[in-house]
Amino acid sequence: MTEKTSAIIYTETDEAPLLATYSFLPILEAFARTAGVDVETRDISLAGRILAQFPDRLTDDQRIGDALAELGELATTPEANIIKLPNISASVPQLKAAIKELQEQGYDIPDYVENPTTEEEKAAREAYDRVKGSAVNPVLREGNSDRRAADAVKEYARRNPHSMGAWSGDSKTNVATMTDDDFRHNEKSVVIEADDDLRIELVGADGETRVLRESVPVLAGEVVDGTVMRAAALDDFLRAQVQRAKDEGVLFSVHLKATMMKVSDPIIFGHVVRAYFPQVFEQYGDDLAAAGLSASDGLGSILSGLDALANGAEIKAAFEQAMADGPDLAMVDSDRGITNLHVPSDIIVDASMPAMIRTSGHMWNPAGDEQDALAVIPDSSYAGVYQTVIDDCRANGAYDPATMGSVPNVGLMAQKAEEYGSHDKTFEIPADGTVRVVNRAGDVLIEHQVSTGDIWRACQTKDIPIRDWVKLAVTRARATGDPAIFWLDSERAHDRNLITLVEKYLGDHDTEGLDISIASPVEATQRSIERIREGKNTISVTGNVLRDYNTDLFPILELGTSAKMLSVVPLINGGGLFETGAGGSAPKHVQQLVKENYLRWDSLGEFLALAESLQEYGETTGNSGAKVLASTLARANATFLNENKSPGRKLGTIDNRGSHFYLALYWAEELAQQTDDAELASKFTALAAELREKEQQINDELLAVQGSPADIGGYYRPDPEKASAVMRPSATFNAALDQL
């Protein structure tokens, strides 16, 4: 066994994944230590990211380093081995809640000011803007995505298919999307000829030039796009959809990405709220604005702030009357009256649309019953994907998880590729005029006529990630023998440039005998779902946003959740980032833990990622023991699935902590029985025997704590001692691990 030369970095994130870490990390550290594998942690939670912005305001014992920046640098080196758990992609309401909690915990950090006026407020706002939204992923993703169902997971899903709602041929569920003047239709795209520095400016109708972004460095071969969603067209579209939902007797729902698309989509969400309540905002809009109550923050934020207004009861009654008169709203929580319009981060398109399709095309209505819905997705770039799947289910019925094929994904996301890298280049236009993208020589590369309130954005896709993306697609097609489809739309300016580059770079690889093609997202969806029904697999090769959508859509239909997907990011400069699944249901899990000391979070994603990480560590460092840990963990994962030791659905069954115990038991038994490393086997013989012998005792200790409230000391920043005590309640299990 060689001396270790690097470490596995296990990230501390947020909500349920963070709580699960308090239970699972001690197991990982104990097992890894036996083979000389170094495991370190880095705090990239929302709370940690906030605190890292304000070191000068904190005491010595409160101050923490900027772990995200550190890992961003590490991700560009061959030594990188990072296990990245799901993190909060913070919307403004979440950011404000985290700030409030930290202030209550004694951290002297500033408020988030919507409209900063002083230099101090502006500096704080700039710092918080670096934290909110998808702040983590663009920094760490220095490689493209290889996301698929592990063999053990797929086999388990076939033997134990999850429930799927039946579809009716007369379902009235549909997607509504814009047919012009949205981001897709107004897009312009250029390929940069040489390294340059671009400027984004607004030339007003009055002739005044305002610089929106002074410097946008670009490299030769980079694809740069600009586009605009016109506010007037958006408002016309939304008003029509409210009326359509009313006329068709279906639920009105909007599906956006207000977390990752942290500038554009909250603005769009605000337009939706105003479109549903036009008379309320016409009559009381000035009062709400004066009180700092913004439609972009959602109906819930507005209603909670009305008590402070002299006419608050009157305004609340107007909102209630508008809901009674308008189409029924899809609900997030019918029992508590939380609608689809309450919080911008509650209905995230990549999770909400698959859930609707899985549930017979239904969402929940105010009475708590299922009902057909109109899914409003304003930008038409990818809305057709969901409509195609809905049409297929309406015609052919629900998919069968016991027989359906897979749609693994190769996603272009390296180095902030495409729309998720555009937050700092997205603007709500302050005045009529022309937005121009100008190079250093003064040449205008892209320009759009704009009006006040339009949403304009630019995004970048560097050439090296595109080359790597094509290479990864060929590699996966060769490894699996499955067809690979590049989901690119020749009617989109950006995609036209990508098509040219894909065709060029495919020539750099041996593609003989491979089925590699290019099709629009709608066409690619249709071909993929036809093959799904035949039990066949089709690799989707997509850009960044579609990567995010597809790696929820198809896994949720196939496996019941996207959290069970294996997500490997081979980093461009070597090393790997190993992602552990989706975290969309994490908030509800935390609420249940605090209420009744039961954590339903499934850590299978962590188990799968860890096996890949250990294998990478072994290959990079020459540590043969790490490879044994990896191979035995892979077998333990299969046993874990076959024995059905994932968290149950109700009190009295094993939860996240119990699932960790069983993973440790199966892993220890595999290590004790393996013959590749006798020294390592000997270290686990006693542990495997003890865990098996005391299985009932450990289970009893884990189950005994369920049913009572649990104090973890905070939602966004739990107290480590309290959280550890809650998540490690079995003294017998803890003592056994300590013996390693």
Side-chain angles (χ1 to χ4, degrees), residues 334-654:
S334 301
D335 293 338
R336 295 194 294 151
I338 298 176
T339 73
N340 176 270
L341 299 184
H342 261 63
V343 182
S345 58
D346 270 352
I347 301 291
I348 303 301
V349 59
D350 47 322
S352 60
M353 287 302 300
M356 171 199 281
I357 294 168
R358 183 185 168 192
T359 315
S360 309
H362 296 158
M363 296 187 75
W364 300 102
N365 66 21
D369 299 321
E370 293 182 24
Q371 186 176 334
D372 290 343
L374 181 65
V376 177
I377 305 175
D379 182 46
S380 63
S381 295
Y382 307 118
V385 169
Y386 296 114
Q387 184 66 57
T388 301
V389 177
I390 288 170
D391 289 342
D392 179 71
C393 289
R394 184 161 32 225
N396 301 305
Y399 303 104
D400 182 357
T403 61
M404 66 186 292
S406 295
V407 185
N409 181 261
V410 172
L412 173 59
M413 67 179 193
Q415 300 177 352
K416 304 179 183 180
E418 292 189 327
E419 288 96 327
Y420 284 171
S422 69
H423 315 308
D424 57 354
K425 296 177 288 294
T426 300
F427 310 95
E428 188 171 22
I429 300 301
D432 294 357
T434 304
V435 173
R436 309 194 310 180
V437 179
V438 183
N439 67 11
R440 204 156 32 201
D443 302 321
V444 176
L445 305 183
I446 295 171
E447 66 179 351
H448 289 94
Q449 296 296 314
V450 293
S451 300
T452 303
D454 288 351
I455 307 167
W456 189 95
R457 75 178 184 203
C459 64
Q460 303 166 251
T461 311
K462 294 178 175 59
D463 185 56
I464 289 176
I466 296 171
R467 292 174 185 263
D468 182 76
W469 177 54
V470 173
K471 175 185 174 182
L472 184 57
V474 174
T475 300
R476 293 304 304 160
R478 177 71 64 191
T480 62
D482 294 326
I485 304 176
F486 284 85
W487 294 40
L488 295 170
D489 184 354
S490 61
E491 295 184 5
R492 264 189 78 179
H494 168 82
D495 283 14
R496 282 197 296 273
N497 278 329
L498 264 289
I499 289 171
T500 299
L501 294 172
V502 166
E503 291 174 339
K504 175 183 177 182
Y505 296 145
L506 281 173
D508 296 337
H509 303 280
D510 176 14
T511 59
E512 185 176 354
L514 302 181
D515 183 353
I516 298 178
S517 59
I518 299 172
S520 73
V522 167
E523 294 167 338
T525 302
Q526 186 61 49
R527 182 179 173 195
S528 298
I529 57 181
E530 288 171 358
R531 289 176 55 83
I532 277 177
R533 291 191 181 276
E534 297 171 355
K536 299 175 180 177
N537 303 335
T538 312
I539 301 169
S540 65
V541 189
T542 71
N544 203 355
V545 174
L546 257 180
R547 171 202 60 80
D548 208 46
Y549 292 4
N550 281 7
T551 56
D552 273 310
L553 172 60
F554 294 107
I556 287 174
L557 299 179
E558 177 188 354
L559 308 174
T561 174
S562 59
K564 294 182 178 180
M565 293 291 283
L566 178 62
S567 183
V568 179
V569 182
L571 299 174
I572 291 174
N573 292 330
L577 173 69
F578 306 92
E579 299 185 298
T580 67
S585 58
K588 293 182 179 179
H589 292 327
V590 180
Q591 293 161 12
Q592 184 178 14
L593 175 82
V594 171
K595 181 180 180 181
E596 53 191 19
N597 206 343
Y598 185 91
L599 186 65
R600 194 177 152 192
W601 175 258
D602 190 344
S603 289
L604 179 62
E606 288 98 292
F607 305 160
L608 297 171
L610 177 58
E612 296 289 327
S613 170
L614 286 165
Q615 181 65 29
E616 171 76 14
Y617 184 97
E619 292 175 355
T620 301
T621 65
N623 184 324
S624 60
K627 295 182 180 180
V628 173
L629 287 175
S631 61
T632 52
L633 177 55
R635 294 196 293 272
N637 286 338
T639 303
F640 175 87
L641 285 167
N642 292 334
E643 295 295 326
N644 196 24
K645 295 303 182 183
S646 291
R649 291 181 173 271
K650 58 183 179 180
L651 289 177
T653 59
I654 66 168

Side-chain angles (χ1 to χ4, degrees), residues 59-303:
T59 63
D60 289 344
D61 61 329
Q62 290 178 332
R63 200 171 292 127
I64 64 174
D66 191 343
L68 180 58
E70 178 190 346
L71 292 187
E73 294 180 9
L74 177 62
T76 64
T77 68
E79 294 77 31
N81 190 317
I82 304 168
I83 298 179
K84 191 263 174 186
L85 278 71
N87 60 279
I88 292 176
S89 293
S91 64
V92 171
Q94 288 173 307
L95 180 62
K96 289 179 177 178
I99 294 168
K100 183 174 184 291
E101 179 180 299
L102 288 169
Q103 291 171 336
E104 291 171 348
Q105 291 177 348
Y107 294 95
D108 179 26
I109 57 175
D111 291 332
Y112 177 92
V113 179
E114 292 279 1
N115 299 298
T117 55
T118 68
E119 290 304 313
E120 184 178 3
E121 288 176 345
K122 291 177 181 177
R125 172 62 184 268
E126 185 177 338
Y128 283 129
D129 284 347
R130 292 194 291 268
V131 168
K132 71 183 182 184
S134 183
V136 172
N137 293 338
V139 174
L140 298 186
R141 287 172 170 171
E142 286 290 326
N144 292 309
S145 171
D146 172 10
R147 202 147 192 244
R148 59 191 187 274
D151 291 342
V153 172
K154 182 61 178 175
E155 287 306 311
Y156 176 81
R158 288 187 181 278
R159 291 193 301 270
N160 303 273
H162 64 89
S163 61
M164 294 280 280
W167 271 80
S168 167
D170 58 5
S171 168
K172 294 189 288 185
T173 289
N174 282 295
V175 172
T177 193
M178 297 176 72
T179 56
D180 55 33
D181 272 335
D182 61 347
F183 291 131
R184 175 176 179 267
H185 288 91
N186 290 327
E187 189 173 66
K188 298 180 181 180
S189 180
V190 295
V191 179
I192 302 299
E193 294 183 358
D195 294 1
D196 209 331
D197 195 13
L198 310 182
R199 182 178 72 255
I200 304 173
E201 60 187 25
L202 170 64
V203 181
D206 58 2
E208 179 186 353
T209 297
R210 310 184 197 191
V211 176
L212 300 178
R213 180 75 188 273
E214 179 64 44
S215 175
V216 182
V218 291
L219 302 176
E222 190 162 341
V223 179
V224 175
D225 311 314
T227 187
V228 61
M229 177 175 281
R230 305 200 185 282
L234 173 63
D235 290 338
D236 288 345
F237 163 76
L238 292 172
R239 285 191 291 267
Q241 303 323 307
V242 172
Q243 186 61 49
R244 176 183 173 184
K246 178 75 172 178
D247 294 344
E248 295 182 3
V250 297
L251 300 175
F252 178 87
S253 64
V254 64
H255 303 259
L256 296 166
K257 191 76 170 177
T259 49
M260 288 189 175
M261 304 304 294
K262 63 185 179 183
V263 178
S264 62
D265 283 23
I267 297 171
I268 296 171
F269 187 84
H271 280 265
V272 179
V273 174
R274 289 190 293 272
Y276 188 89
F277 299 102
Q279 294 167 333
V280 178
F281 280 91
E282 181 179 349
Q283 185 172 357
Y284 301 106
D286 291 342
D287 295 338
L288 296 174
L293 301 178
S294 170
S296 297
D297 290 339
L299 179 60
S301 177
I302 294 174
L303 294 177

Side-chain angles (χ1 to χ4, degrees), residues 1-24:
M1 189 181 301
T2 62
E3 183 179 350
K4 61 181 181 288
T5 57
S6 62
I8 290 174
I9 306 297
Y10 200 90
T11 55
E12 297 173 346
T13 56
D14 306 284
E15 299 178 324
L18 174 60
L19 293 175
T21 297
Y22 281 105
S23 170
F24 184 58

